[in-house]
Amino acid sequence: MSRILCVDDEPAILRLLTVVLAVDGHEVSHAHNARDAIVLLERGGIDAVLLDLGLPDRDGLELLGAIRSIAPLPIVVVSARNDVREKVTALDLGATDYVTKPFDGDELRARLRAALRNREVAPVADVVEFGPVRLEIDHHRALVHDQPVTLTPKEFALLRALTEGRGRVLTHAALLEQVWGKAHRDDVEYLRVAVRALRLKVESDPSQPMLIRNEPGIGYRLGGGAT
Amino acid sequence: MQRPFTLYLAALVAVGGVVWATTTFLPVLGLASAALLFLLPVLFAAARGGLGPGLFAALASAAAYNFFLLPPRYTFRIHAPENLVSVIVLVAVALVTSRLATRLKAREIEALDRARLSAELAELSAALAGNPAASAFDRGVALVAERYGQMQVLADPSQIRPSVLLSSLDQAAAAWAQHNGDVTGHGTEVMPAADWTFLPLAPRNRRDRAVAAIAQRPDGTTRSRQEIDHLAQLALLLGQCRDRDALEAERRERELLAESNRLRQTLLAALSHDLRTPMTVLVGRLELLARDHPSAAEAMAAAVHLQHSLSDLLEAARIEDGALQPALESIDPVDAVTEALGRLALRPGVALQRDIRADLPFVRADAVLLDHILANLFDNAQRHARALIRVEGRAIADAVLLSIVDDGPGVPEAERDRIFERFARAEGSDRTSGSGLGLAIVKGLSDAMGMTVSVDQAPGGGARFTLAMPLAKAPSA
């Protein structure tokens, strides 16, 4: 039961989204362009945004940045642009998720649910928890399914970044920057090697990883929370 | 150039003059001075006419000196040995002077020729550089033809044989010039009996060589060796122009091609983008409708099928266009398989079996394209499987082999190559599912990433598709 702002210049898509989201009891506000979207956001009362990138008055990626600066809302991009680089940019700019048109209604609702559920950003604290992972930062202690796991500092940092992402897809560059530093933003190799090592320690079947999930060409997210 | 006969006559006349002068003034001059005077006709004749007239003048002078002046006069006998010396000196002077004069003359001719050649080359270069719009080569040929006579360019052997223009000897000379890079035909050492002179347009070290044929002079005289050499150099310059023209034409063609490719890609992208919105509305609405009205389910299935076919068509067009630019990176094959399988909607009654080790080496691939390949291969397997799909991965020396095995009817040996072509379907397969492009897309995408895909028969009788993914280089981290 949330209020969702749908930003799309196609009236037919807006009407479709209204019906699809009504299944979950969401109330939908429409904006046909970036200006209307900002007016509605500033009025308040919005819980999440579904954002099309192709808007008549302003590039959707720009609007994404603007929305971020108004309120820390979950933003799910719903776009006809099916390009990995576009997705990576949107996620790096703060989008919570990215759905490509034509979308499957059930999948869209599931992703919106996940985005809404995970919106409560955990305050910086000693303990970070998401799904089956519990990290005690001060003690450098990791528990997965209540089992203690011994991690190297890099593995711990990586798992912490993923856990704090709360199921959000974190791009390769974002993870690399957070764990290895800005200079290593492009060293995807590091990430692959570390993810594999981490999986061997935390996955129940590392050949079929369910906890650290890969988004082809984009990044990783922590699975295991109900989706 | 004076005719040789005149030169000899002039030498004789000069000697005669000296004889007259010396005999007349002998008492005043004395024998020694008289002998010196005989050097004059020798020098004169050698300088003007070269060795022949010089030597002739020397012998005539020696003979006249001996006959008219040396005692006993009016005989050819020589009494004192020093008088023999004067004769030898006269001959020696004639030899040396004529050699010097000949060499000097040759240098002069050479210098003049070189000056003319460089002036012409400069003129030609200036003319060629002048107007880049027209063909530099054509202008160069016109310029040379205007100055030296009719000129034909024979670009390749087919323009030499058969030919109405050239006699069989000319054809042979042209072929020789083309093949060996020598100047041949009229005025040269190679087949001089030919009517035309053939000038290669490229130096000897080049293989494909065009040849310029230049006609004889209008007055029928043979061109000098210098002129032939000169023309040969002009021909090489023309050859350079021709190469430049060809490069320029190639560049323009490439640009045109690139432009048309860009247009097509823009069109494809726009089409794919513009189709997405109506497809979203169509499928989304039917999906909702089908919840309450089971009769709409069929329409929805058709719309979903249409949507997949459209996206397959666009993808195939993109591959065919060469518009793919794979972003190759190191990929964990376990990731790739897990994600693609995660989205697979298995038909009821079909089970999935995985046999993939978690420590397979990383492969070099574009994550999105690889995902697309795997999705298509898995989808293909689940449409043909009776009850089981097996996914197996193993590493060999330089690749990871991923096999997708189904227990369906398999692909007959005769159709195994054809199955990766567009719209190819195995005999008796379900004609309503799939766009007929899935495997063609798999092939196109794997080719683009340097992977190979093949199909053979699984031990149990079904189809086994195998994707060979090249290894990423060993990670350094």
Side-chain angles (χ1 to χ4, degrees):
Chain A
M1 244 64 43
S2 306
R3 190 146 170 248
I4 314 293
L5 172 63
C6 296
V7 190
D8 200 309
D9 61 337
E10 279 291 332
I13 295 279
L14 287 175
R15 288 194 295 270
L16 175 67
L17 286 172
T18 309
V19 186
V20 167
L21 298 180
V23 174
D24 281 352
H26 297 307
E27 199 181 308
V28 176
S29 301
H30 294 174
H32 294 90
N33 51 46
R35 206 197 48 204
D36 292 358
I38 288 178
V39 169
L40 284 169
L41 277 165
E42 280 175 341
R43 226 177 263 167
I46 305 283
D47 297 305
V49 182
L50 294 188
L51 175 64
D52 177 32
L53 293 182
L55 296 175
D57 58 342
R58 204 164 158 190
D59 187 71
L61 290 173
E62 264 180 60
L63 180 59
L64 188 55
I67 297 173
R68 283 268 132 207
S69 68
I70 294 171
L73 296 175
I75 304 170
V76 177
V77 172
V78 183
S79 174
R81 299 184 199 167
N82 186 19
D83 179 55
V84 175
R85 276 158 300 178
E86 198 94 24
K87 290 182 192 175
V88 168
T89 312
L91 292 169
D92 277 340
L93 282 172
T96 317
D97 207 342
Y98 196 112
V99 178
T100 314
K101 289 180 194 168
F103 51 79
D104 175 62
D106 293 337
E107 193 195 337
L108 179 70
R109 288 207 313 279
R111 297 221 192 191
L112 183 61
R113 266 202 305 277
L116 283 166
R117 188 176 53 241
N118 302 331
R119 86 189 112 158
E120 311 86 27
V121 179
V124 181
D126 284 359
V127 179
V128 185
E129 267 185 301
F130 183 79
V133 181
R134 179 186 164 87
L135 299 176
E136 292 167 15
I137 307 298
D138 283 354
H139 301 101
H140 188 78
R141 227 164 83 90
L143 292 157
V144 179
H145 292 293
D146 299 325
Q147 297 296 310
V149 187
T150 315
L151 300 176
T152 66
K154 284 277 183 273
E155 289 163 1
F156 190 85
L158 180 58
L159 189 57
R160 181 181 173 181
L162 286 165
T163 310
E164 284 173 345
R166 310 186 59 79
R168 247 186 74 192
V169 177
L170 298 169
T171 63
H172 295 140
L175 285 169
L176 282 160
E177 195 174 322
Q178 205 166 332
V179 178
W180 281 269
K182 247 195 167 79
H184 295 289
R185 268 180 74 92
D186 296 325
D187 296 329
V188 181
E189 290 273 345
Y190 287 22
L191 191 57
R192 299 260 185 244
V193 174
V195 165
R196 176 169 275 191
L198 189 55
R199 276 176 176 163
L200 289 173
K201 295 180 179 177
V202 302
E203 297 279 358
S204 44
D205 175 5
S207 77
Q208 206 163 334
M210 302 312 286
L211 190 60
I212 302 171
R213 303 299 300 262
N214 165 56
E215 286 284 330
I218 298 173
Y220 291 94
R221 66 188 166 85
L222 201 62
T227 50
Chain B
M1 259 246 186
Q2 277 171 291
R3 311 236 326 250
F5 171 71
T6 334
L7 290 168
Y8 284 97
L9 193 66
L12 203 58
V13 170
V15 173
V18 173
V19 167
W20 176 79
T22 46
T23 46
T24 312
F25 301 106
L26 186 62
V28 188
L29 287 169
L31 260 183
S33 312
L36 278 178
L37 280 182
F38 274 97
L39 284 175
L40 291 176
V42 177
L43 284 169
F44 165 76
R48 283 297 300 273
L51 185 60
L55 211 56
F56 174 74
L59 289 174
S61 295
Y65 178 61
N66 184 356
F67 191 80
F68 290 106
L69 297 175
L70 278 187
R73 292 178 73 180
Y74 311 112
T75 71
F76 284 111
R77 276 181 296 146
I78 298 169
H79 275 210
E82 66 267 26
N83 295 334
L84 188 64
V85 170
S86 345
V87 173
I88 292 170
V89 166
L90 282 172
V91 172
V93 166
L95 284 173
V96 171
T97 315
S98 64
R99 276 193 75 97
L100 281 175
T102 313
R103 230 184 274 167
L104 214 64
K105 185 152 252 157
R107 290 247 177 95
E108 186 189 330
I109 290 171
E110 212 176 283
L112 278 174
D113 209 51
R114 221 177 300 147
R116 194 161 64 104
L117 177 63
S118 36
E120 268 189 21
L121 289 180
E123 192 186 343
L124 194 58
S125 308
L128 298 181
N131 178 6
S135 153
F137 179 66
D138 290 348
R139 274 179 291 133
V141 168
L143 211 75
V144 173
E146 185 185 304
R147 205 153 297 177
Y148 290 93
Q150 195 190 347
M151 192 170 187
Q152 293 281 337
V153 175
L154 310 167
D156 56 68
S158 72
Q159 284 180 293
I160 296 175
R161 286 193 173 113
S163 161
V164 279
L165 182 75
L166 303 175
S167 71
S168 55
L169 182 61
D170 279 302
Q171 291 178 22
W176 182 285
Q178 189 152 56
H179 192 259
N180 298 318
D182 293 327
V183 179
T184 64
H186 195 77
T188 73
E189 282 109 33
V190 186
M191 298 181 237
D195 291 327
W196 296 70
T197 306
F198 298 97
L199 311 161
L201 291 184
R204 275 169 208 275
N205 54 12
R206 282 267 300 273
R207 293 198 60 187
D208 51 333
R209 187 182 292 114
V211 166
I214 189 145
Q216 289 181 38
R217 284 182 171 158
D219 63 4
T221 55
T222 308
R223 294 180 200 279
S224 69
R225 186 65 227 177
Q226 282 93 342
E227 188 169 329
I228 298 280
D229 286 348
H230 180 97
L231 280 168
Q233 295 214 42
L234 289 179
L236 289 179
L237 185 71
L238 287 177
Q240 286 173 16
C241 289
R242 195 164 173 272
D243 292 349
R244 210 177 59 190
D245 280 358
L247 280 176
E248 176 66 17
E250 208 175 289
R251 190 185 62 80
R252 271 202 299 270
E253 200 167 306
R254 261 204 315 272
E255 264 179 17
L256 219 66
L257 197 69
E259 177 60 25
S260 92
N261 273 348
R262 249 198 310 278
L263 268 171
R264 282 225 306 259
Q265 282 168 24
T266 313
L267 191 69
L268 264 178
L271 197 60
S272 116
H273 183 271
D274 290 350
L275 282 173
R276 281 171 198 277
T277 299
M279 282 313 304
T280 307
V281 175
L282 185 63
V283 173
R285 284 291 182 178
L286 285 170
E287 206 178 5
L288 289 167
L289 203 60
R291 284 169 195 270
D292 305 328
H293 305 276
S295 59
E298 212 169 298
M300 191 195 75
V304 168
H305 178 65
L306 176 65
Q307 174 192 323
H308 289 157
S309 297
L310 271 175
S311 87
D312 277 358
L313 263 176
L314 289 167
E315 183 71 2
R318 221 156 65 91
I319 293 170
E320 189 155 318
D321 232 27
L324 287 180
Q325 287 169 330
L328 297 177
E329 53 167 335
S330 132
I331 304 278
D332 189 338
V334 174
D335 265 347
V337 170
T338 305
E339 287 313 320
L341 279 180
R343 291 194 315 273
L344 180 66
L346 268 181
R347 251 174 42 223
V350 177
L352 180 70
Q353 197 182 332
R354 287 169 60 122
D355 181 11
I356 293 180
R357 293 167 55 113
D359 60 354
L360 280 178
F362 293 166
V363 296
R364 190 167 165 71
D366 177 308
V368 176
L369 301 186
L370 179 58
D371 187 59
H372 201 151
I373 290 180
L374 296 181
N376 281 11
L377 286 175
F378 294 155
D379 182 57
N380 182 68
Q382 71 94 26
R383 278 193 285 116
H384 294 100
R386 286 197 192 99
L388 183 69
I389 300 173
R390 231 175 37 249
V391 181
E392 304 164 346
R394 68 196 167 92
I396 57 169
D398 56 352
V400 168
L401 301 182
L402 188 75
S403 299
I404 296 110
V405 185
D406 65 58
D407 59 351
V411 182
E413 196 159 356
E415 292 191 27
R416 285 181 194 163
D417 286 334
R418 214 178 58 83
I419 196 145
F420 292 107
E421 290 169 13
R422 279 175 295 165
F423 306 115
R425 280 199 181 91
E427 284 299 316
S429 75
D430 180 0
R431 294 209 151 255
T432 58
S433 60
S435 62
L437 286 167
L439 291 177
I441 289 172
V442 165
K443 176 86 169 66
L445 296 179
S446 10
D447 284 351
M449 289 192 286
M451 299 181 173
T452 55
V453 61
S454 59
V455 61
D456 65 351
Q457 189 163 19
R464 172 169 59 192
F465 285 85
T466 302
L467 182 68
M469 306 178 274
L471 295 188
K473 67 175 188 338
S476 49

